[in-house]
Amino acid sequence: MKIGDHCNTRYGAGEIVHIEHFSRINGGLNRYGLKLVNNPFKFEPVYFFPEELSGHTEHHENL
């Protein structure tokens, strides 16, 4: 997953806007900061671990 990709969460769909390296154990673990379409929180981005994301689609630039 990379910045610009779209994912679904239990709070709805969003776009990855930040990737945070969270842990170095077992090769590392990233958290993904998403800008949610309908954000129920008062802050942005909202961070999720990979197992909390589904429906990953890559972002493609229109050339």
Side-chain angles (χ1 to χ4, degrees):
M1 290 188 275
K2 61 186 182 303
I3 292 175
D5 289 357
H6 296 267
C7 298
N8 293 317
T9 73
R10 65 181 177 166
Y11 301 104
E15 178 182 349
I16 297 173
V17 295
H18 188 258
I19 300 173
E20 177 180 79
H21 193 67
F22 188 73
S23 172
R24 297 177 192 267
I25 298 171
N26 294 328
L29 176 66
N30 291 330
R31 286 194 326 166
Y32 297 90
L34 273 69
K35 180 177 181 181
L36 297 174
V37 174
N38 294 309
N39 190 350
F41 305 102
K42 294 184 181 198
F43 55 88
E44 198 171 83
V46 180
Y47 285 88
F48 297 93
F49 289 104
E51 60 270 11
E52 298 175 293
L53 302 174
S54 65
H56 170 247
T57 56
E58 291 187 13
H59 174 74
H60 297 284
E61 294 290 329
N62 293 331
L63 300 176

